Amino acid sequence: MNKNNLVVLAAAGRTGTNYVMNTITSDNTYYMLGEFFNHIPWNIVWHTDLLAKMLEKNSPYVFGYKDWFKQLSLCYKRNGRRVFNENGNLLQQDMKSFIEPSNIELFLNSINFINYELNLNSVHKAFLFHTSLIDSEENDIDLETLLSHCNNLVIVYRNNILEQYISEEKANITNLWFVDDNIVKTETSKIRIKESQELKLQWDKSQYVARYKQIEEYYKILLEIYRNYNGNKCQIEYDELHSQKNKLEYLQEIYNKNNIDVTINADNYKPAIKLAKDQPLEDNFSNSEEFLKDLPSVPIFFKS
């Protein structure tokens, strides 16, 4: 059975991964596994949805989730009062208990079920900080092993690291990372988007330069991974994508040219909303004069 298991790999956030993922999942032959190796509360939705499908089919693959489900039960016991209250949520710190069971074995168990019992392709998103290539508190996934089980690779990156930094800093403060066309229609989301767009950051040259160097190094690693990957692959640069008049047509051409077996269904596509508004860069900072003074001396673009 020839099925595609596609990974969208990024070095850091704010590079358009959600936009790209949504074009792939508009193709109904793909099953979305989300950020499989990321221990965020929303990821519980993706896992439990897959579990439900395994149970519906009385699939033996359900037993591969034994350790993960045990952690879910313990997590709910610790957080039950918060989870089931209105506006309740899981503590991010407690989500780290899912790191150990969210491993390569569980991933293989999941894609085998999707490929052989659902007869579908799979797609998931991963960041370098989920892997052993980056020293972090996140998952320590062996990327070489992961890629050996994925026959399609899409990498995304962003040449304008300064704009990426601004977007990342705002998301860290507001916790607003993603909004699609349906969510944006709610009043709560409209308020949060406006707050994010009007948020003024405190410019700190040394902080930015340190983050620039870190992202630059991550991008070099990402491009090296891309060069060494032997399956079907393509790369998508954020600024080039968003400069296109017809973004879906542009992405479809990239997929076709690089033998990525994805057919974008415009009727089924859920666009991710770009959160940043068009404004002078200095308007993002409360100390704009200091920013403008430093701007000529700081690096802005990634140079591959």
Side-chain angles (χ1 to χ4, degrees):
M1 179 181 294
N2 294 321
K3 291 296 177 184
N4 296 314
N5 294 303
L6 191 157
V7 55
V8 175
L9 183 64
R14 322 317 293 157
T15 54
T17 55
N18 287 316
Y19 196 100
V20 172
M21 286 284 285
N22 286 353
T23 66
I24 296 167
T25 56
S26 74
D27 182 334
N28 289 327
T29 68
Y30 280 86
Y31 188 95
M32 160 78 92
L33 280 173
E35 297 180 31
F36 191 89
F37 299 106
N38 198 1
H39 52 278
I40 53 176
W42 181 249
N43 232 28
I44 289 177
V45 175
W46 301 116
H47 285 289
T48 53
D49 183 64
L50 188 61
L51 267 169
K53 288 178 170 57
M54 290 177 177
L55 290 168
E56 287 172 6
K57 288 186 168 290
N58 293 315
S59 172
Y61 286 109
V62 74
F63 294 105
Y65 262 92
K66 180 181 66 175
D67 292 339
W68 185 92
F69 199 80
K70 180 180 178 180
Q71 286 301 329
L72 179 65
S73 176
L74 292 172
C75 188
Y76 275 157
K77 286 178 181 178
R78 290 190 294 266
N79 295 279
R81 186 170 296 177
R82 284 188 295 270
V83 172
F84 299 109
N85 281 347
E86 186 176 2
N87 299 321
N89 53 54
L90 289 169
L91 291 177
Q92 183 66 42
Q93 186 69 22
D94 203 50
M95 293 301 296
K96 291 185 178 181
S97 63
F98 288 94
I99 291 179
E100 187 173 347
S102 299
N103 50 34
I104 291 288
E105 288 74 23
L106 184 63
F107 175 73
L108 292 179
N109 182 79
S110 300
I111 63 173
N112 284 336
F113 170 73
I114 292 166
N115 293 164
Y116 293 109
E117 295 201 17
L118 295 184
N119 196 30
L120 292 172
N121 306 307
S122 77
V123 58
H124 78 285
K125 175 169 60 171
F127 293 96
L128 288 185
F129 56 76
H130 295 148
T131 75
S132 56
L133 294 176
I134 304 296
D135 185 19
S136 74
E137 296 181 355
E138 308 293 333
N139 275 346
D140 197 23
I141 299 300
D142 184 87
L143 185 59
E144 185 176 353
T145 302
L146 175 62
L147 292 179
S148 72
H149 298 291
C150 298
N151 51 10
N152 290 264
L153 169 66
V154 176
I155 67 165
V156 293
Y157 64 102
R158 190 170 183 172
N159 280 329
N160 193 320
I161 295 179
L162 175 56
E163 290 189 355
Q164 180 181 353
Y165 168 81
I166 292 170
S167 179
E168 183 180 65
E169 286 296 295
K170 288 191 174 187
N172 282 325
I173 293 171
T174 64
N175 199 30
L176 186 62
W177 294 92
F178 168 72
V179 176
D180 67 22
D181 196 42
N182 291 324
I183 298 174
V184 77
K185 296 174 183 176
T186 67
E187 287 303 315
T188 300
S189 291
K190 289 178 181 178
I191 293 171
R192 291 188 67 197
I193 291 170
K194 184 178 180 181
E195 289 176 347
S196 174
Q197 291 177 338
E198 295 180 353
L199 177 65
K200 301 289 187 182
L201 303 171
Q202 181 74 17
W203 168 253
D204 185 318
K205 179 181 177 180
S206 61
Q207 177 183 309
Y208 166 69
V209 171
R211 182 57 174 155
Y212 174 93
K213 290 179 178 179
Q214 186 179 55
I215 292 176
E216 180 185 44
E217 186 60 33
Y218 289 175
Y219 280 165
K220 290 177 180 178
I221 295 172
L222 184 68
L223 292 177
E224 182 67 18
I225 292 166
Y226 182 81
R227 282 190 289 269
N228 294 330
Y229 182 76
N230 293 321
N232 297 329
K233 59 187 177 182
C234 69
Q235 53 183 300
I236 298 165
E237 197 280 314
Y238 178 96
D239 299 307
E240 181 66 22
L241 169 61
H242 285 279
S243 71
Q244 302 298 317
K245 184 176 181 180
N246 190 323
K247 298 177 183 61
L248 297 187
E249 185 178 286
Y250 171 76
L251 287 175
Q252 187 66 70
E253 289 178 1
I254 290 179
Y255 296 152
N256 292 345
K257 180 180 178 181
N258 294 281
N259 298 314
I260 305 295
D261 188 17
V262 171
T263 301
I264 299 173
N265 182 345
D267 294 332
N268 196 37
Y269 171 66
K270 299 176 182 178
I273 304 301
K274 186 178 179 181
L275 295 174
K277 68 176 181 179
D278 293 328
Q279 62 180 350
L281 286 175
E282 62 268 24
D283 288 354
N284 291 287
F285 299 100
S286 57
N287 53 339
S288 57
E289 291 184 2
E290 184 176 348
F291 168 76
L292 288 172
K293 178 183 176 182
D294 290 338
L295 185 58
S297 64
V298 298
I300 296 175
F301 297 100
F302 169 62
K303 297 177 182 179
S304 58

